[in-house]
Amino acid sequence: MLVLLASIFVVHIATVIMLFVSTIANVWTVSDFGGISVGLWKNCTAANDCSHSLSYSNEDALKAVQAFMILSIIFSVISLVVFVFQLFTMEKGNRFFLSGATMLVCWLCILVGASIYTYHYANNSTGQYPESHHGYSFILTWICFCFSFIIGILYLVLRKK
């Protein structure tokens, strides 16, 4: 049981780190020509110059993606803190309902944010880069989506022994 709790804790920390990286890094879409990348916050050129703002930065869809990704980080960190708190204060035999529910809220925020980005920007509807592919931030977000769901369900099922 201790090994299971430790492994869940490690995966949870990895998920929080990956959420930070995927939200902060400006590599959600990468142009096939010249290494130009686009993130949630800035446009980066081939010379790693990320001082260019997005041409569509005032769109509500992008603001929603930014908000939901920040909320997912917040809920993931809260879930981690609640899990550690419950680990040391909860009586034996109880389940980690609060940490599981908080992690599932994080999962929902990732789902909404990544889905909005996929619908509006991943299919190149902005027309900015006709030849482009998904960057590592976009892929990390969907990996975090899977991990947060698994962690949330495991928290709900697990009992403290």
Side-chain angles (χ1 to χ4, degrees):
M1 185 61 148
L2 185 62
V3 173
L4 181 63
L5 287 174
S7 61
I8 290 172
F9 184 72
V10 168
V11 171
H12 196 149
I13 289 176
T15 303
V16 170
I17 292 170
M18 288 189 299
L19 274 173
F20 268 111
V21 170
S22 68
T23 303
I24 293 170
N26 291 312
V27 193
W28 281 64
T29 304
V30 179
S31 171
D32 293 338
F33 305 110
I36 299 170
S37 63
V38 178
L40 297 180
W41 313 100
K42 296 280 183 188
N43 237 350
C44 296
T45 62
N48 288 331
D49 178 25
C50 293
S51 61
H52 309 289
S53 62
L54 297 172
S55 60
Y56 49 90
S57 63
N58 290 329
E59 289 185 13
D60 291 337
L62 183 65
K63 290 182 187 282
V65 174
Q66 292 170 344
F68 277 110
M69 291 308 296
I70 290 171
L71 280 173
S72 70
I73 292 171
I74 291 169
F75 281 117
S76 184
V77 169
I78 289 172
S79 177
L80 187 64
V81 170
V82 167
F83 172 68
V84 171
F85 181 75
Q86 284 182 325
L87 196 59
F88 293 111
T89 60
M90 192 170 59
E91 295 178 13
K92 291 184 178 189
N94 290 342
R95 295 183 190 264
F96 297 95
F97 283 124
L98 190 56
S99 17
T102 311
M103 197 62 187
L104 289 177
V105 171
C106 166
W107 169 75
L108 192 63
C109 288
I110 296 171
L111 172 68
V112 172
S115 297
I116 292 171
Y117 187 87
T118 302
Y119 179 75
H120 285 279
Y121 305 110
N123 61 359
N124 197 25
S125 64
T126 59
Q128 195 168 13
Y129 302 112
E131 298 293 326
S132 60
H133 60 276
H134 303 302
Y136 70 85
S137 297
F138 182 77
I139 296 166
L140 270 180
T141 301
W142 285 110
I143 291 171
C144 290
F145 167 76
C146 297
F147 280 173
S148 62
F149 180 72
I150 292 168
I151 293 168
I153 296 299
L154 283 175
Y155 281 156
L156 291 177
V157 171
L158 259 143
R159 288 181 184 270
K160 183 176 178 185
K161 291 192 177 191

